[in-house]
Amino acid sequence: MDTHIACRRIYDRPDRSDGVRVLVDRVWPRGVRKEKAHLDEWLREVAPSTELRQWYGHDPARFAEFRRRYLAELRESPQRQAAQHLRLIARRHDLTLLTATRDVEHSQAAVLVEWLSPGSGPST
């Protein structure tokens, strides 16, 4: 099955092409009511550690190092198990990873899209 993996802001309106919608932030986004989030799952375990998230601070100049450290975290449990769960979803369904981050291109969701894409992400 040929599936599509994307990332978007949770504040964006849901789209028919989203497929399975999974929030990949460790902290629930401000101003979003759970019943209005249109989520299939909240997988906080796949998010970067609190320490890494705080170090990164969404500074694009630190993104390359954030990406390297985050990929290393994805090789460790419990993030590894959560990432493998996402991989299983992505094999069967279109998948949209959601984040509250304003700069989606420099977020953990973007790293996960790369990691989950067939042939381009490191295996764990």
Side-chain angles (χ1 to χ4, degrees):
M1 179 178 205
D2 188 28
T3 60
H4 176 74
I5 305 166
C7 58
R8 300 178 61 202
R9 293 191 75 216
I10 193 164
Y11 303 105
D12 296 339
R13 291 186 82 142
D15 190 273
R16 288 183 186 196
S17 66
D18 285 347
V20 177
R21 292 170 49 91
V22 179
L23 177 63
V24 294
D25 287 350
R26 189 165 299 277
V27 178
W28 187 261
R30 289 183 191 165
V32 177
R33 293 177 42 196
K34 290 184 182 181
E35 59 275 1
K36 300 270 186 178
H38 303 284
L39 289 181
D40 293 294
E41 191 167 348
W42 178 19
L43 195 61
R44 67 180 75 140
E45 297 85 5
V46 79
S49 65
T50 299
E51 297 80 16
L52 179 56
R53 184 174 47 83
Q54 288 174 346
W55 170 83
Y56 175 46
H58 301 287
D59 179 353
R62 291 184 170 182
F63 183 71
E65 180 61 16
F66 167 78
R67 180 186 170 280
R68 186 192 70 73
R69 291 183 189 186
Y70 182 44
L71 288 171
E73 284 189 354
L74 289 174
R75 294 183 192 102
E76 303 293 324
S77 227
Q79 282 143 317
R80 178 182 178 151
Q81 293 169 336
Q84 290 296 3
H85 176 69
L86 280 179
R87 189 180 296 273
L88 288 174
I89 295 171
R91 285 183 184 152
R92 296 183 181 108
H93 306 279
D94 289 336
L95 174 63
T96 299
L97 305 177
L98 300 168
T99 181
T101 305
R102 286 187 183 140
D103 185 358
V104 175
E105 290 180 33
H106 294 102
S107 71
Q108 77 272 8
V111 175
L112 283 168
V113 167
E114 175 189 346
W115 186 83
L116 290 166
S117 297
S120 58
S123 62
T124 56

